[in-house]
Amino acid sequence: MTGIVMFLAALFMLAIGFSVAFTFGAIAVIFGLIGGMVESFGDGNGFMGGLEIFKETFNFMPYRIYSIMENKILIAVPLFVFMGIILQKTKLAERLLESMAFLFGEIRGGVAISTVLVGALLAASTGVVGASVVAMGVMSLPVMLKYNYNKALGCGTICASGTLGQIIPPSIVLIILGDVFTVPVGDLFREAIYPGLALVGAYIAYILIVSYVKKDYAPPVVVESDMPKSKQILNAILAILPPLVLVVLVLGSIFEGIATPTESSAFGCVGAILLSVFYKTFSFKMLKEALEESVKTTAIVFTILIGATAFSMVFSYTGGDEIVEEVMSNLPGEKWGFIVLSMITIFALGFFIDFVEISYIVLPILAPIAVNLGINPLYFAIVIAMNLQTSFLTPPFGFSLFYLKGVAPAEVKTSDIYRGVVPFIGLQILVLIIFTIILLG
């Protein structure tokens, strides 16, 4: 049971506030030593024998780290991060929000619908959840409050729209899942478009229904402007078209087999820089800041990955993976029992830990069991990506909630944000269930 205790210890350390990046590595070292001592004293070899077993266990660690650094799929992670940060610094979100508000503001719930559509466009171009939520929180939420939108509806819309970057490609989650499940990232990108669009449709349908049933929740907004209508339409097109073209080129090159995701991500970086020139926001200072932020984000991801690799190695050594595999393989309902329990486990863990840790700690255990049960790894990865998306919304550690609270006006309470995301979590679960039945049935 050492492996199970090890997993619970890691969750406890995270719950009391220890750094994610180093918790898994530290737990691996501690329990690797404990496991070595237990085995050594059991064989009568004493303390020095335990140290020798510990040393032998971690002798493989340099090779594992080297294989991570050599992984060509993961090269796309820093490149897509850099592309997203460049587009964030071009004030793309502000341009899109202004344009969408002009196009949809005069219908009930129009500003909220605009926020969802901008969230989808930002997801397909930047994929940076934090940047999307902050930008929409700064731009959309004050407008909604000014025109007497319901606070919970406005907050929930912004948080949910910001998380679309987790499922709509190019998504960092999908790249990581492609590595874990050893399936082509391009195939994951292609299949993820459908659940992404389904979520967008579900959000918009919910907003329309709520705004027409409760007419005071999302009144129409008439924006007065001296600018001619034709000029406003042209500005809206100029704001929407360039990032849309970049998205089509980046994803289209992957879908048509012209470029690999890694090659396409490099092309996307060049395209993002050209867009910043087009919008007259390019500067070498901005480029330097984007590079620094990309390095920091990538360093955090790979530090977590190395710690998670050490954790998985020791977890397997202690026999924890065998216990989990035995339990999961003998569930009632066989395949569907495994799928349901897997989805519930991932959803529950999303309340406390990040998608990167779940991907590299839990999923390597589940992936071989899924293959043994005849579950298609491509579709299993898609429904897991949808499940992981909810981790950004679920209290108490949903990152989107923190991002929005950090930029929300003083009159918006934490309770408004929490109440606002509940219906959208329900919508995500509903769409997840539908696609799980369709893809894995």
Side-chain angles (χ1 to χ4, degrees):
M1 297 296 291
T2 306
I4 306 302
V5 175
M6 175 183 174
F7 186 78
L8 295 174
L11 288 181
F12 175 74
M13 296 284 281
L14 293 172
I16 62 176
F18 278 86
S19 169
V20 170
F22 302 105
T23 294
F24 286 111
I27 289 288
V29 171
I30 293 168
F31 277 84
L33 186 58
I34 291 172
M37 291 299 169
V38 169
E39 183 177 337
S40 179
F41 277 98
D43 294 339
N45 294 324
F47 181 77
M48 295 308 295
L51 287 179
E52 191 62 32
I53 293 172
F54 173 77
K55 178 183 173 184
E56 289 175 4
T57 304
F58 277 86
N59 273 345
F60 294 101
M61 198 60 204
Y63 301 101
R64 293 205 175 204
I65 294 173
Y66 185 75
S67 67
I68 292 169
M69 298 300 109
E70 210 178 25
N71 192 324
K72 293 180 181 178
I73 294 174
L74 295 178
I75 295 173
V77 172
L79 292 173
F80 275 126
V81 168
F82 176 71
M83 170 184 161
I85 291 172
I86 286 286
L87 290 174
Q88 171 198 341
K89 291 183 177 296
T90 62
K91 300 192 175 178
L92 177 67
E94 287 86 337
R95 296 173 191 274
L96 289 173
L97 282 165
E98 290 170 1
S99 303
M100 290 294 185
F102 161 71
L103 294 174
F104 296 97
E106 295 185 10
I107 66 173
R108 288 191 179 279
V111 179
I113 292 170
S114 303
T115 302
V116 173
L117 293 173
V118 169
L121 283 171
L122 290 175
S125 52
T126 70
V128 182
V129 172
S132 299
V133 173
V134 167
M136 292 188 291
V138 170
M139 296 290 293
S140 288
L141 191 55
V143 175
M144 292 184 192
L145 297 177
K146 178 182 176 182
Y147 289 97
N148 300 315
Y149 264 62
N150 178 268
K151 291 178 186 176
L153 177 63
C155 292
T157 301
I158 290 170
C159 289
S161 302
T163 64
L164 289 169
Q166 293 298 100
I167 188 65
I168 294 178
S171 162
I172 303 303
V173 175
L174 295 174
I175 296 170
I176 290 174
L177 292 182
D179 177 49
V180 172
F181 284 91
T182 61
V183 294
V185 174
D187 291 348
L188 283 172
F189 281 6
R190 187 181 295 107
E191 295 297 330
I193 288 178
Y194 305 110
L197 293 177
L199 283 170
V200 172
Y203 294 166
I204 292 174
Y206 169 74
I207 292 165
L208 286 172
I209 292 169
V210 169
S211 60
Y212 277 91
V213 171
K214 299 185 177 181
K215 299 189 183 300
D216 58 330
Y217 266 40
V221 175
V222 179
V223 180
E224 299 293 336
S225 176
D226 297 330
M227 191 181 296
K229 201 80 170 176
S230 58
K231 179 71 172 175
Q232 288 179 318
I233 293 172
L234 179 62
N235 286 346
I237 292 171
L238 286 176
I240 296 167
L241 199 57
L244 197 59
V245 170
L246 178 61
V247 169
V248 170
L249 290 175
V250 169
L251 295 181
S253 63
I254 297 172
F255 296 162
E256 294 299 320
I258 299 169
T260 66
T262 303
E263 293 165 345
S264 185
S265 63
F267 173 77
C269 292
V270 175
I273 292 172
L274 292 176
L275 267 185
S276 69
V277 174
F278 174 78
Y279 286 132
K280 298 179 181 178
T281 56
F282 177 82
S283 69
F284 285 103
K285 180 183 177 185
M286 181 268 284
L287 183 64
K288 179 173 179 273
E289 289 173 354
L291 287 167
E292 288 175 349
E293 289 183 37
S294 300
V295 168
K296 289 176 184 176
T297 303
T298 305
I300 290 171
V301 171
F302 279 84
T303 302
I304 293 172
L305 174 51
I306 290 169
T309 300
F311 185 94
S312 296
M313 184 178 68
V314 176
F315 186 78
S316 298
Y317 169 73
T318 59
D321 59 336
E322 294 175 7
I323 294 173
V324 173
E325 184 172 351
E326 184 179 348
V327 171
M328 299 292 274
S329 299
N330 292 287
L331 288 170
E334 297 183 351
K335 183 180 89 167
W336 280 106
F338 167 75
I339 291 171
V340 170
L341 185 59
S342 297
M343 292 296 108
I344 292 173
T345 301
I346 292 167
F347 179 76
L349 288 173
F351 280 80
F352 306 103
I353 59 177
D354 189 37
F355 71 92
V356 179
E357 297 91 77
I358 296 173
S359 298
Y360 283 113
I361 297 295
V362 180
L363 300 188
I365 300 170
L366 299 180
I369 304 172
V371 172
N372 290 338
L373 291 172
I375 298 171
N376 186 311
L378 173 64
Y379 295 141
F380 192 48
I382 292 294
V383 296
I384 285 175
M386 296 177 67
N387 198 336
L388 289 173
Q389 183 187 354
T390 62
S391 68
F392 277 79
L393 292 180
T394 46
F397 299 116
F399 287 118
S400 289
L401 313 179
F402 296 148
Y403 295 141
L404 182 59
K405 181 57 182 173
V407 296
E411 65 263 33
V412 175
K413 300 177 182 177
T414 303
S415 59
D416 294 323
I417 299 175
Y418 281 14
R419 282 189 295 108
V421 298
V422 169
F424 291 94
I425 293 172
L427 288 171
Q428 287 188 352
I429 293 172
L430 176 62
V431 174
L432 171 62
I433 292 170
I434 292 170
F435 273 87
T436 300
I437 294 170
I438 292 172
L439 296 178
L440 302 181

